[in-house]
Amino acid sequence: MSQNPFDDRDPFGDDPFGDSGGGQRDAVPLHSVQRSTDQGGFLGGFGGSAYRAVEADMDGFGADEDSMYKAGGISQGVSQGDFSQGSREAELQRREDELAARERELRTREANVQAMASGTRPALNFPPLYPIMYHAINVEVPAGDRRTVRTLFYMWLALEAMLVLNCVSCLIVLVSNAADVSNAGASFGSSFVYLFTISAGSFFLWYRPIYNAYMKDSSMFFYLFFVFNGFHILFDAYMAVGVPGAGSAGIIVMLQCISSGKKAAAAFCGISFALWVLHFVVSLFMYIKVRRHYRLRGHTFSEAKQQAYLGFAQSGAGQAAAGAYIRSNTGTFV
């Protein structure tokens, strides 16, 4: 039976790097290693000092990191404070601009009221090239109604542009000499007349009355708008249909140009037809909106008649008629 060579050998007792005689060295106590480390042995002289240096550096890094975080927090707080201060200054500047604009508007309105009270009106400013009246929505119309009046004004300007386009479309149809289009010359002549009659009529018969209605809150002017703007809505529908020879480049004339193979003329007629339809829809919507405003304000037809009678009586024609009536009844014609 073979003997285990490791039975009697202490693996921790023999130093494999000792003398060749294989003598057993005394074990070094653990407390001596710790003491030598503390007193500056190998670990104490080199490793310990290096460890302490690294530890000190780590402590310093932690302190620097804390200071960096603190400095970053301070700078972040300063930047946030600057941003909030800048936003407050911008808000204050915006409010100052609004107050200045309102002050200018009130001064202008006050000057206009004083001018009217003294019997003089502000300087004429509309139309721009040849002013014959004073027109200022931001001055004469109340703030809550300006958007509606401005929309109606833009609709009137769009009507002017559409009348020009309609006249050009009728001219192109006439020049194209489409075989299936009848009375092209009469259509162009009528469209040219519309440039002046419809432009002036629409302004004085429905736009200017609605301008005065919102400015003076007058039932009479509201009724004038309802009557003549209703005719205008029917005129939009009439122009969209495009009756041959009636001055309109609407859908009927467009179909005749398509059947004749005149693509350019058909394209212009198609654009004109689409714009008339769009203007018809917007005009109907605004008509209903103004009608709703009229009812909310509590206006009535009897009130409109009273205002009409009063206006006629205060006019020069009314006073002349009243004087003639009195003279006829008294028999004095001097």
Side-chain angles (χ1 to χ4, degrees):
M1 186 173 182
S2 61
Q3 185 178 1
N4 187 355
F6 301 99
D7 289 341
D8 299 332
R9 184 177 179 181
D10 187 1
F12 299 99
D14 296 337
D15 186 4
F17 302 99
D19 298 337
S20 60
Q24 184 176 2
R25 300 180 62 182
D26 295 334
V28 179
L30 180 60
H31 64 273
S32 63
V33 176
Q34 295 176 348
R35 187 165 53 251
S36 63
T37 302
D38 297 335
Q39 293 176 357
F42 174 76
L43 294 175
F46 177 77
S49 61
Y51 174 77
R52 285 192 295 272
V54 172
E55 185 177 6
D57 292 338
M58 293 298 294
D59 294 338
F61 176 77
D64 294 339
E65 186 178 8
D66 294 339
S67 62
M68 290 172 62
Y69 284 139
K70 293 178 180 179
I74 295 174
S75 61
Q76 184 178 4
V78 172
S79 62
Q80 290 179 354
D82 294 339
F83 177 77
S84 60
Q85 184 177 1
S87 62
R88 287 195 296 269
E89 292 179 354
E91 180 66 20
L92 291 175
Q93 184 64 33
R94 186 184 64 82
R95 292 183 180 180
E96 290 179 358
D97 295 339
E98 291 181 354
L99 291 176
R102 291 179 181 178
E103 184 178 359
R104 289 193 300 269
E105 180 181 347
L106 290 176
R107 288 180 180 177
T108 305
R109 182 173 296 182
E110 183 180 359
N112 294 333
V113 171
Q114 292 177 356
M116 293 179 182
S118 61
T120 60
R121 292 185 59 84
L124 306 180
N125 61 352
F126 189 85
L129 299 179
Y130 188 77
I132 59 175
M133 67 184 64
Y134 180 72
H135 180 269
I137 296 176
N138 293 330
V139 176
E140 294 188 313
V141 179
D145 301 325
R146 291 173 188 171
R147 184 175 180 180
T148 301
V149 177
R150 190 174 291 109
T151 301
L152 292 169
F153 178 65
Y154 291 156
M155 287 178 57
W156 179 79
L157 293 178
L159 175 63
E160 305 308 302
M162 291 164 55
L163 290 172
V164 174
L165 177 61
N166 179 75
C167 184
V168 173
S169 301
C170 291
L171 178 61
I172 293 176
V173 172
L174 176 63
V175 174
S176 65
N177 195 18
D180 295 336
V181 178
S182 59
N183 298 326
S187 291
F188 172 70
S190 299
S191 65
F192 186 77
V193 174
Y194 291 161
L195 288 176
F196 305 97
T197 57
I198 300 301
S199 298
S202 60
F203 184 86
F204 289 105
L205 293 179
W206 65 262
Y207 172 69
R208 191 64 184 181
I210 197 60
Y211 181 92
N212 292 329
Y214 277 100
M215 179 179 65
K216 302 177 181 180
D217 196 22
S218 172
S219 297
M220 179 187 67
F221 286 111
F222 273 112
Y223 261 94
L224 288 176
F225 170 79
F226 293 144
V227 172
F228 291 105
N229 191 254
F231 285 117
H232 164 71
I233 293 175
L234 296 177
F235 177 78
D236 283 345
Y238 168 77
M239 296 295 285
V241 172
V243 178
S248 170
I251 187 171
I252 296 179
V253 179
M254 181 189 69
L255 295 176
Q256 291 177 348
C257 291
I258 293 175
S259 63
S260 301
K262 305 298 181 180
K263 297 181 180 180
F268 274 88
C269 292
I271 296 173
S272 180
F273 163 73
L275 291 177
W276 284 116
V277 172
L278 179 62
H279 201 269
F280 170 82
V281 174
V282 177
S283 298
L284 185 60
F285 172 78
M286 294 304 299
Y287 186 92
I288 297 174
K289 183 177 181 180
V290 174
R291 183 72 178 179
R292 187 182 299 114
H293 172 82
Y294 172 84
R295 291 179 177 177
L296 290 176
R297 296 292 296 176
H299 295 294
T300 60
F301 180 69
S302 60
E303 181 184 1
K305 289 191 299 183
Q306 292 177 0
Q307 292 177 358
Y309 295 153
L310 180 61
F312 178 75
Q314 293 177 351
S315 64
Q319 293 177 0
Y325 178 77
I326 293 174
R327 288 192 299 268
S328 65
N329 290 334
T330 58
T332 58
F333 296 95
V334 179

